[in-house]
Amino acid sequence: MDFNEQQIERYSRHIILSEVGVEGQQKILNSKVLVIGTGGLGAPAAMFLAAAGVGTIGLVDADKVDLSNLQRQIIHQTKDVGKLKVKSGEETINEMNPDVSVVTYHSFVDSSNILDIFKDQDYDFIIDGTDNFAAKFLINDACVMAKKPFSHAGIIRFNGQLTTYIPDNDTPCYRCMFKEPPPEGAVPSCREAGVLGVMGGVIGTLQATEALKYILGIGESLAGYLLTYNALTMEFIKINIKKNSKCPVCGDEPAIKTLIDYNGPVCTL
Amino acid sequence: MVSLQLFSANSLINKVMVIVQIKINGKVTEIEPSLNLASLLETRRIKPGAVVVQYNGDIVDKGLWTKIVLQENDELEILRFVGGG
């Protein structure tokens, strides 16, 4: 454990926690977290992980920063409009914490690249900060197949939800709850329905919390639960969900054995 | 007078008896008797495509929703698809 003086000071509020300590902070510095999507959820998640000292943070996004993103995607600033989101995110993180090395993937995830991105740095934990069901189901299936723990989350209007998947456990995956993407048009996107800017902050920060707890091996994760948050009623509800033995991807006889691009050209579903 | 009061009390009891209490997302909720799952969602204007439903601990296929008649103390979790980020 060879922290320099600046690191001891920077992480002092972590180190003083008996659940973290010097050892725990070392674990955080040695950890690698992949954040897929640097939008409403991914922005605050990546920033808190960077501040915490996660040693390697991967950022995946093909988009450029748009003015309409800035109401919630706090990793990007006005000067970044038009810039690649992964570039803008990398610059913000570099300014926040020199201990973090950022790896950028200027792409959307699909069936052809997601497992390679996981392997690129052998990430310890994945954060799904994407804004569409095709990506959310892809990330779930890829994490089940590659045995990677991940945090699923979604936000819309004044609502958010999240769950954590831990492999080799009796943890339900996202498909145990939501078997397949909703029918076209049944559920609006943030672009169509709007989202209160802070929703990503609340839920994305909870995703970062789950990642840090997993890295530290402390507390109880949301594995086996879907946590929902309604900002208008200020209610958090933790719903117990069982692993589904008939789940098409993590069940006893999985029907899905290869990754599916729901929006892709090869999609036949 | 007495018989009238008794009559009122009886009709109140009858009214209470015909309400079914279930839990929806952890909250005790009163519903009409003989309501099936599909009708419950319809009365609450929940689009079937936008949710999945966990009925007494198990996620149930949409095809079974009309066959499940809700009984006293049933527990429902209505899980909404949330895809934004």
Side-chain angles (χ1 to χ4, degrees):
Chain A
M1 312 288 162
D2 42 358
F3 287 113
N4 61 38
E5 268 180 43
Q6 285 218 326
Q7 286 176 314
I8 289 170
E9 192 171 343
R10 179 185 285 269
Y11 305 115
S12 59
R13 304 300 192 277
H14 270 170
I15 293 169
I16 204 166
L17 292 168
S18 60
E19 292 85 351
V20 182
V22 171
E23 260 180 59
Q25 188 58 49
Q26 194 64 57
K27 282 184 193 167
I28 295 173
L29 284 162
N30 291 340
S31 70
K32 293 173 272 187
V33 178
L34 181 67
V35 180
I36 306 178
T38 56
L41 293 164
M47 288 173 83
F48 269 109
L49 293 173
V54 167
T56 304
I57 297 178
L59 299 177
V60 191
D61 211 311
D63 274 339
K64 286 179 179 162
V65 179
D66 187 88
L67 191 56
S68 67
N69 299 151
L70 301 185
Q71 154 259 25
R72 65 196 181 284
Q73 303 179 13
I74 57 171
I75 203 166
H76 315 296
Q77 282 120 54
T78 308
K79 66 175 168 57
D80 301 318
V81 170
K83 202 181 275 181
L84 290 179
K85 283 188 171 178
V86 288
K87 182 76 185 146
S88 161
E90 181 182 28
E91 286 172 6
T92 302
I93 292 173
N94 285 343
E95 280 175 31
M96 286 176 71
N97 189 347
D99 291 342
V100 181
S101 105
V102 180
V103 184
T104 60
Y105 306 90
H106 173 219
S107 172
F108 290 125
V109 285
D110 61 32
S111 65
S112 74
N113 65 13
I114 189 164
L115 293 172
D116 290 333
I117 293 174
F118 287 2
K119 273 185 217 150
D120 181 51
Q121 298 286 327
D122 191 21
Y123 288 100
D124 302 308
F125 194 92
I126 319 286
I127 289 190
D128 172 5
T130 62
D131 63 357
N132 64 87
F133 289 108
K136 290 189 185 303
F137 279 86
L138 176 80
I139 292 167
N140 178 73
D141 296 354
C143 286
V144 170
M145 289 175 191
K147 297 192 191 309
K148 290 285 182 192
F150 83 104
S151 166
H152 154 84
I155 49 171
I156 190 94
R157 293 171 47 80
F158 301 91
N159 294 95
Q161 64 175 216
L162 75 156
T163 185
T164 301
Y165 173 77
I166 309 285
D168 300 326
N169 203 339
D170 278 337
T171 310
C173 76
Y174 181 55
R175 264 193 208 273
C176 288
M177 310 175 198
F178 301 94
K179 198 168 147 196
E180 56 195 7
E184 191 80 28
V187 181
S189 67
C190 287
R191 187 190 298 247
E192 293 156 350
V195 61
L196 194 70
V198 292
M199 296 309 298
V202 175
I203 304 295
T205 304
L206 290 176
Q207 290 187 283
T209 311
E210 288 290 271
L212 290 171
K213 278 159 53 193
Y214 177 81
I215 291 159
L216 292 164
I218 59 169
E220 286 166 36
S221 79
L222 279 176
Y225 295 93
L226 183 72
L227 181 69
T228 67
Y229 171 54
N230 180 333
L232 290 180
T233 57
M234 239 13 182
E235 280 177 306
F236 281 92
I237 303 175
K238 202 173 157 186
I239 302 165
N240 194 192
I241 311 275
K242 280 190 292 195
K243 190 179 179 79
N244 180 0
S245 59
K246 288 179 194 155
C247 173
V249 70
C250 79
D252 297 338
E253 288 169 28
I256 299 169
K257 288 170 182 152
T258 52
L259 296 171
I260 302 165
D261 290 306
Y262 283 102
N263 288 345
V266 291
C267 173
T268 53
L269 285 169
Chain B
M1 274 309 267
V2 173
S3 67
L4 190 64
Q5 269 178 355
L6 268 178
F7 177 74
S8 310
N10 277 342
S11 68
L12 190 68
I13 288 167
N14 281 340
K15 238 181 187 170
V16 170
M17 293 293 280
V18 295
I19 285 170
V20 175
Q21 276 198 346
I22 62 167
K23 260 191 192 171
I24 301 178
N25 291 4
K27 271 191 188 160
V28 176
T29 309
E30 294 182 342
I31 60 162
E32 293 168 39
S34 327
L35 199 61
N36 71 46
L37 191 46
S39 314
L40 174 87
L41 296 181
E42 208 181 310
T43 59
R44 303 192 147 226
R45 296 180 188 195
I46 296 171
K47 278 195 231 161
V51 295
V52 299
V53 178
Q54 180 169 273
Y55 169 70
N56 293 337
D58 292 307
I59 306 259
V60 282
D61 279 343
K62 286 192 172 63
L64 297 173
W65 286 3
T66 53
K67 299 193 176 84
I68 294 174
V69 177
L70 298 163
Q71 311 283 338
E72 187 80 10
N73 298 327
D74 275 350
E75 293 192 8
L76 290 185
E77 308 290 351
I78 300 171
L79 315 179
R80 288 177 184 273
F81 278 96
V82 181

